[in-house]
Amino acid sequence: MTFHIHITQHEIHAGLGVVSHLAGNSVLGNGAATISHGIDTYNDVTHHNLLGAVKDGAETVISGGEAVIDGFSGDWF
């Protein structure tokens, strides 16, 4: 018997939100937030939502920066 697992973008986005919430201010938490905001940015661009893309792009950069700072601080999880 073969199982096929189909995970939607919405499910990935929701999972990243959970990881971000639970891991908080850590590389794991802010890394998940970075990917989540990146998905939002991608969706904004594909739907020609320029204002949303700018906002979500900024949040992506901020979360990524926080993840880097957490890495230097040793806050990995």
Side-chain angles (χ1 to χ4, degrees):
M1 183 179 286
T2 303
F3 292 98
H4 295 283
I5 299 173
H6 178 70
I7 300 174
T8 66
Q9 186 189 82
H10 177 74
E11 291 167 331
I12 293 170
H13 197 267
L16 289 168
V18 171
V19 172
S20 176
H21 178 73
L22 293 178
N25 288 325
S26 67
V27 172
L28 181 62
N30 284 318
T34 302
I35 297 168
S36 178
H37 291 312
I39 290 171
D40 290 337
T41 305
Y42 172 78
N43 286 335
D44 290 333
V45 170
T46 58
H47 290 96
H48 306 289
N49 180 3
L50 181 60
L51 189 61
V54 171
K55 174 185 166 290
D56 289 325
E59 290 178 351
T60 302
V61 171
I62 291 167
S63 295
E66 289 176 345
V68 170
I69 291 168
D70 292 331
F72 283 115
S73 301
D75 298 326
W76 291 90
F77 300 102

